[in-house]
Amino acid sequence: MKNVKLDRHPLPPGSTGWPIIGETLEYLGTAKKGVPENFVLDRINKYLSSAGNSCKVFKTSLLLQDMAVLCTAGGNKFLFSNEEKLVKSWWPAYLDKLIVGNSEKTLNITEESNRFRMILAPYLKPAGLQKYIGTMDSVTKKYLVTYWDHKDQVKVHQHAKKYAFTLACKLMLDTEDPQLLGKLQRILKDLSSGFTALPIDLPGTTFNRAIRASRQLREEIEKIVVERRIKLSTASANSMVDDGDHGDMLSSLLSLLMEETYSDGKQITESEIADKLYGLIVAGHDSISSALTTIMMYLAELPQVYDAVLKEQMEIANSKAAGELLNWGDVQKMKYSWSVACEAMRLLPPSLGTFREATTDFVYEGHLIPKGMKLHWHPHSTHKNPECFPNPEKFDPSRFEGQGPPPFAFVPFGGGPRMCPGKEYARLKILVFMHNVVTKYKWDKVFSDEKFIWTPVLLPTKGLPIKLFPHNKSK
Ligand code: HEM
């Protein structure tokens, strides 16, 4: 039965645009021009008069759905704190096809996915990740020696993707075999193209190729999981001491999961473990590569910022013995570097926000949000708002010092129970990378006017080629 009192409230102001496609083209168009904030800010200004003196929510239609866009820090707080109360996570169906690749499963939340999230959580939290910092450092050092040391010029975005994947495979699958890595990377490239393609699943389309790549990648990961599980089972059958700590997450996770069962007594299968590892590898891949690329861009453009990061990182480097790898304590000292990374993610957030679905009728800021309506939070609406970040176009890492930005204004990783579970992993990976690149090189952009756009993946229009100047050679 409809709640008559709620029905008295109007829907948020706004237009659902064209039939079927709604305002999707304008939304994607502003992102592709590198100004996604214009989609939100134009509408906030347009609907000011109908919403009183501030527009906190507007209605639109995106991705074939009627949608309310919440556009303040308060809106972010409302969405993030009402997860599983008034709203639940929602993903467009085409993403289900790419990330889940199986019509019976969904990215949307199930009891099983929540439980698995809880099992994985300790591995992705600071305490669980600390022991992998040395591995991250040694893989990064090796990567730069192999691919950057003998080059005058490199394309940052391409390398950020390759580096992020190499590290993810080492940590999550314990594999460094160049042949296997090359094969997996080719599959991942096909899969990634699907995120920016038209979601038309017909033979020969980019989207169709991406769905096949998704299946292939999962199968390859499952083979690795099965092999490792047999190895661990054999070791325990032979009563060999194996605490599951092989310096990678796969072994630790398998050792734990071999003893775990679901509430109905069923054991967690290799295929389910492979699914989750696949999810972790794929979910963060584009975001972390984009973040590394934007940081490199700002460090090239802003010599004073570069100098301050170099100073911080050299103090850490100089405190280490020859050949000694980075550890947790070192990363905790990289405060200014992390402020720089945050400021890069404020101005160029890798994700354009995600979606929720109203699970019941409710009223938000005087407007009815009917059950089933989709809701969208968009980082640019606060990241570029002068009330949250004065002089928002200025690159100013000091915004993250002291008390930092107002609550729920800085949201590159989302928030609430569905906040990115890879946030801490991403932080460590970014800082270890920054340490290694700044202590080895200075660099210049090849194209001074190169822009970043969202397709919706955030990327530089020309791949961000840079000229490298190793510190041990003069410029
Ligand atoms: C700079 C890097 C990254 C950024 C900016 C980022 C951003 C995000 C955002 C905005 C969300 C949605 C949160 C929400 O809806 O409230 C998300 C979800 C997610 N991220 Fe990340 N992410 C990054 C790296 C990673 C990494 C490295 C991993 C894997 C280790 C990862 C795994 C995930 C997963 C599995 C989800 C889905 C969570 C769920 O639905 O419960 N992310 N990320």
Side-chain angles (χ1 to χ4, degrees):
M1 206 169 74
K2 278 263 164 207
N3 184 329
V4 179
K5 271 194 192 149
L6 290 182
D7 271 358
R8 280 193 210 128
H9 293 272
L11 288 169
S15 155
T16 47
W18 297 94
I20 306 174
I21 56 167
E23 296 192 302
T24 310
L25 294 182
E26 281 124 297
Y27 177 80
L28 295 177
T30 50
K32 211 162 181 175
K33 284 188 197 135
V35 282
E37 62 270 32
N38 287 358
F39 181 83
V40 178
L41 299 179
D42 287 355
R43 281 159 185 74
I44 292 178
N45 290 329
K46 191 165 162 193
Y47 303 127
L48 269 185
S49 53
S50 52
N53 56 4
S54 69
C55 171
K56 295 181 175 162
V57 53
F58 65 84
K59 179 184 70 185
T60 180
S61 167
L62 302 176
L63 309 167
L64 314 180
Q65 305 285 332
D66 281 353
M67 204 167 279
V69 180
L70 274 55
C71 28
T72 59
N76 292 342
K77 179 177 179 188
F78 179 85
L79 278 190
F80 298 153
S81 49
N82 277 303
E83 183 76 38
E84 302 292 324
K85 293 178 203 151
L86 300 176
V87 300
K88 64 176 184 184
S89 183
W90 176 82
W91 298 90
Y94 77 92
L95 277 183
D96 263 0
K97 281 198 166 184
L98 287 184
I99 299 196
V100 183
N102 173 342
S103 54
E104 293 134 45
K105 291 192 177 176
T106 166
L107 270 173
N108 296 312
I109 305 313
T110 60
E111 193 196 325
E112 179 204 327
S113 67
N114 271 338
R115 205 177 95 78
F116 219 108
R117 199 181 154 116
M118 276 170 60
I119 295 173
L120 279 177
Y123 289 89
L124 297 171
K125 290 227 164 93
L129 286 166
Q130 285 184 27
K131 61 179 171 199
Y132 304 119
I133 293 172
T135 311
M136 288 186 183
D137 192 22
S138 73
V139 171
T140 310
K141 286 187 163 57
K142 198 165 152 192
Y143 188 92
L144 294 178
V145 168
T146 314
Y147 297 106
W148 285 26
D149 266 7
H150 306 290
K151 299 241 170 82
D152 298 330
Q153 201 168 307
V154 291
K155 274 198 171 181
V156 176
H157 190 232
Q158 182 189 315
H159 275 287
K161 288 208 275 189
K162 188 168 171 159
Y163 159 74
F165 188 63
T166 306
L167 188 44
C169 287
K170 172 66 192 152
L171 289 176
M172 294 186 190
L173 305 176
D174 193 24
T175 180
E176 281 183 290
D177 170 9
Q179 249 185 324
L180 181 59
L181 278 184
K183 181 177 177 192
L184 297 181
Q185 230 202 335
R186 279 191 297 280
I187 304 176
L188 186 66
K189 198 170 165 210
D190 278 348
L191 171 59
S192 288
S193 319
F195 292 112
T196 54
L198 281 178
I200 302 171
D201 184 10
L202 289 174
T205 62
T206 306
F207 189 67
N208 178 272
R209 202 164 46 247
I211 294 174
R212 275 188 288 130
S214 143
R215 243 175 264 135
Q216 246 180 308
L217 187 55
R218 192 176 284 96
E219 281 162 18
E220 291 293 336
I221 295 176
E222 192 172 336
K223 273 192 228 160
I224 298 172
V225 171
V226 171
E227 254 171 48
R228 179 56 58 91
R229 193 164 186 161
I230 293 172
K231 215 164 158 189
L232 287 175
S233 304
T234 316
S236 78
N238 293 342
S239 311
M240 287 157 68
V241 181
D242 194 329
D243 60 0
D245 191 359
H246 293 231
D248 66 281
M249 289 184 207
L250 175 64
S251 306
S252 320
L253 196 58
L254 273 171
S255 304
L256 177 84
L257 293 181
M258 271 161 40
E259 284 145 33
E260 285 276 335
T261 51
Y262 288 124
S263 47
D264 60 5
K266 269 200 290 181
Q267 225 196 352
I268 297 171
T269 63
E270 278 109 356
S271 149
E272 286 168 318
I273 295 171
D275 266 5
K276 298 302 157 189
L277 288 169
Y278 164 90
L280 285 184
I281 291 171
V282 172
H285 180 68
D286 283 324
S287 302
I288 192 123
S289 321
S290 306
L292 294 172
T293 310
T294 57
I295 293 165
M296 291 292 287
M297 194 264 302
Y298 284 116
L299 290 178
E301 281 182 355
L302 303 163
Q304 279 155 329
V305 175
Y306 173 90
D307 287 346
V309 171
L310 178 63
K311 183 169 176 284
E312 179 175 88
Q313 297 296 349
M314 281 312 295
E315 274 166 22
I316 294 166
N318 290 335
S319 72
K320 315 279 301 171
E324 187 188 347
L325 294 171
L326 290 172
N327 59 37
W328 179 246
D330 299 323
V331 177
Q332 295 318 99
K333 291 180 197 150
M334 301 181 186
K335 291 201 168 30
Y336 180 75
S337 302
W338 183 238
S339 297
V340 169
C342 289
E343 184 63 343
M345 287 189 278
R346 178 185 71 80
L347 284 163
L348 292 170
S351 158
L352 280 179
T354 56
F355 307 94
R356 304 291 191 266
E357 179 180 321
T359 49
T360 176
D361 289 351
F362 62 86
V363 171
Y364 174 72
E365 291 291 338
H367 298 287
L368 173 68
I369 307 291
K371 180 177 176 183
M373 192 176 205
K374 307 300 179 279
L375 299 116
H376 182 32
W377 63 272
H378 193 297
H380 280 90
S381 55
T382 48
H383 288 195
K384 292 287 181 86
N385 179 341
E387 281 172 25
C388 303
F389 297 96
N391 198 358
E393 294 304 328
K394 186 175 175 218
F395 190 96
D396 179 4
S398 73
R399 299 177 198 275
F400 294 90
E401 288 163 10
Q403 288 205 319
F408 297 96
F410 178 63
V411 286
F413 295 98
R418 300 245 73 84
M419 182 196 248
C420 173
K423 182 183 170 203
E424 184 59 21
Y425 172 76
R427 185 179 82 94
L428 297 177
K429 213 160 164 175
I430 288 171
L431 289 173
V432 169
F433 182 76
M434 285 174 83
H435 174 85
N436 279 287
V437 281
V438 296
T439 53
K440 282 192 102 162
Y441 322 98
K442 193 157 173 46
W443 55 95
D444 282 346
K445 282 165 68 175
V446 171
F447 302 107
S448 58
D449 58 349
E450 184 169 2
K451 275 194 353 178
F452 275 77
I453 56 167
W454 285 260
T455 63
V457 172
L458 172 63
L459 44 89
T461 48
K462 294 172 183 153
L464 193 67
I466 52 165
K467 286 185 208 137
L468 282 174
F469 304 106
H471 291 311
N472 55 9
K473 275 195 210 161
S474 56
K475 208 171 174 180

